[in-house]
Amino acid sequence: MRKPLLTAFLTGCVVLTSFAAKAAPKTDFNLCWSIYAGWMPWEYAAAQGIVDKWADKYGIHIKLTQINDYVESINQYTAGQFDGCTMTNMDALTIPAAGGVDSTALIVGDFSNGNDGVVLKGKGKTVADLKGMDVNLVELSVSHYLLARALDSAGLTERDLKVVNTSDADIAAAFDTAQVQAVTTWNPMLGQINTRQDVTQVFDSSDIPGEILDLMVVNTQTLHDNPALGKALTGAWYEVMALMAEPSAAGKAALEHMAKASGTDLDGYEAQLSTTHLFATAPATLAFVNGHALPKTMEKVAQFSFDHGLLGSAAQSSNAVGMSFANGVSVGDPANLKLRFDTQYVQMAADGKL
């Protein structure tokens, strides 16, 4: 899911397609997703015909495509090859939004509630023990953001240690070597690392609830011109959410399907879900997105992104990209509004109007 953000603004030259070229309503839509516990409901909805059912209701066709490389999926969305894509809140800001693509977080599906963690080996037992150490992680990812938040909680900064860029594919094996004493990573690698006897997880995403969000992001102009897309996607999502919550054979079968599709078994998938705070209903989503915390969270994310050069070379401050939220709240540059948290379709679901 959360790989390095290497091309956040490099695609800017090809993504600034004029809105006029996208203004005409259409009937066929393409969206992409990648494997992660909180995004498997999209695979299930597509495989079981739930997306087709809702698309048919509104007279449109929606194709959902799995992209194995997470960052590549966002880059393709940013370049206009897809109408929507699953991504984290930080990636939505630093890739499409920073690249000039006006994007809308149609559905805030969940937040990481322990899926990401900082782990030390041996005598290290607290965040403060990171001082002077090398910390292996996927640089410029949400793991990097989590480390920064952990350090802040202990009065430290990144200047107090050395970040060692390590791919997600290699990080568990690296931790098994004597040279690596600390890592920041996500599940399933985090769970594998925590099976060791000599480790301490000193910080995880449950310490910053609501800050690492998993979204379905849709091109704002496409959504504006084609409200049927927003209605169909939202309807399909909450139908699957309701099924997952059922203590029934059908609910269990749905979870088993998602587990298999994500490469694990039911126990493994449920373990991942236990550290993923899914917003299981539309009212639960609204309560979070309409709250006061989200704009403040995105300001933290924007500051981290600016400090690490992820908002583009022209950015003069963390306010370079404007973001809008519920109740008329906005942060950042209002003349460069590129990321929107829009609740109108989730509100329709909550009101039974889809």
Side-chain angles (χ1 to χ4, degrees):
M1 171 187 171
R2 301 173 168 107
K3 294 187 179 180
L5 313 178
L6 300 179
T7 51
F9 46 87
L10 298 180
T11 54
C13 59
V14 297
V15 302
L16 298 178
T17 307
S18 68
F19 280 154
K22 298 182 179 180
K26 58 181 186 176
T27 57
D28 290 340
F29 302 91
N30 292 298
L31 294 92
C32 58
W33 65 279
S34 53
I35 288 179
Y36 177 68
W39 292 330
M40 296 315 297
W42 289 115
E43 188 280 337
Y44 179 84
Q48 298 298 309
I50 295 172
V51 169
D52 288 342
K53 181 186 78 172
W54 281 90
D56 289 345
K57 178 177 181 178
Y58 292 104
I60 61 175
H61 178 262
I62 300 172
K63 180 181 179 182
L64 282 164
T65 299
Q66 179 186 347
I67 305 293
N68 291 328
D69 187 317
Y70 169 62
V71 170
E72 180 59 22
S73 72
I74 306 175
N75 287 337
Q76 289 187 30
Y77 161 75
T78 303
Q81 296 178 43
F82 290 96
D83 299 299
C85 182
T86 55
M87 63 189 77
T88 68
N89 52 325
M90 189 171 93
D91 298 344
L93 173 64
T94 60
I95 303 182
V101 177
D102 194 329
S103 297
T104 294
L106 176 68
I107 296 171
V108 178
D110 69 81
F111 63 78
S112 175
N113 197 36
N115 264 332
D116 303 76
V118 183
V119 180
L120 277 67
K121 186 190 299 179
K123 295 181 179 180
K125 302 297 181 183
T126 69
V127 174
D129 293 325
L130 289 167
K131 187 172 184 179
M133 297 181 72
D134 290 355
V135 182
N136 292 62
L137 51 74
V138 178
E139 196 170 11
L140 306 181
S141 69
V142 292
S143 287
H144 203 157
Y145 174 79
L146 181 72
L147 175 65
R149 295 288 285 119
L151 294 173
D152 184 61
S153 74
L156 301 175
T157 71
E158 288 184 52
R159 292 187 295 273
D160 293 309
L161 49 76
K162 180 183 178 182
V163 167
V164 180
N165 188 30
T166 309
S167 76
D168 56 324
D170 297 333
I171 200 160
F175 195 67
D176 284 336
T177 67
Q179 292 77 25
V180 177
Q181 298 298 306
V183 297
T184 305
T185 190
W186 60 84
N187 279 323
M189 295 81 70
L190 180 64
Q192 179 181 343
I193 286 168
N194 274 324
T195 61
R196 291 179 55 116
Q197 297 298 311
D198 59 341
V199 304
T200 303
Q201 184 166 294
V202 297
F203 195 88
D204 65 57
S205 51
S206 68
D207 295 308
I208 52 168
E211 293 193 28
I212 299 176
L213 305 172
D214 300 306
L215 320 171
M216 171 57 81
V217 171
V218 178
N219 180 279
T220 298
Q221 188 67 55
T222 299
L223 184 62
H224 178 268
D225 295 332
N226 303 276
L229 176 63
K231 293 176 182 178
L233 289 172
T234 305
W237 176 260
Y238 287 110
E239 179 173 333
V240 178
M241 288 297 100
L243 182 59
M244 291 174 69
E246 280 187 13
S248 65
K252 181 180 179 181
L255 292 173
E256 288 176 335
H257 175 105
M258 294 178 212
K260 183 177 180 180
S262 64
T264 186
D265 57 16
L266 181 58
D267 288 343
Y269 186 58
E270 288 183 330
Q272 293 178 41
L273 288 179
S274 71
T275 50
T276 304
H277 184 96
L278 277 174
F279 296 111
T281 66
T285 307
L286 288 172
F288 177 81
V289 181
N290 288 336
H292 298 298
L294 182 56
K296 294 178 181 178
T297 290
M298 291 309 299
E299 286 183 311
K300 292 188 186 84
V301 172
Q303 187 63 59
F304 172 88
S305 301
F306 173 72
D307 291 344
H308 292 79
L310 296 174
L311 298 183
S313 57
Q316 299 298 307
S317 74
S318 62
N319 291 318
V321 179
M323 295 178 278
S324 67
F325 305 88
N327 305 311
V329 176
S330 63
V331 299
D333 185 356
N336 188 36
L337 187 58
K338 297 300 180 184
L339 182 58
R340 306 165 193 264
F341 289 81
D342 187 347
T343 59
Q344 63 174 312
Y345 294 98
V346 178
Q347 187 67 60
M348 290 179 193
D351 295 340
K353 294 182 178 179
L354 291 178

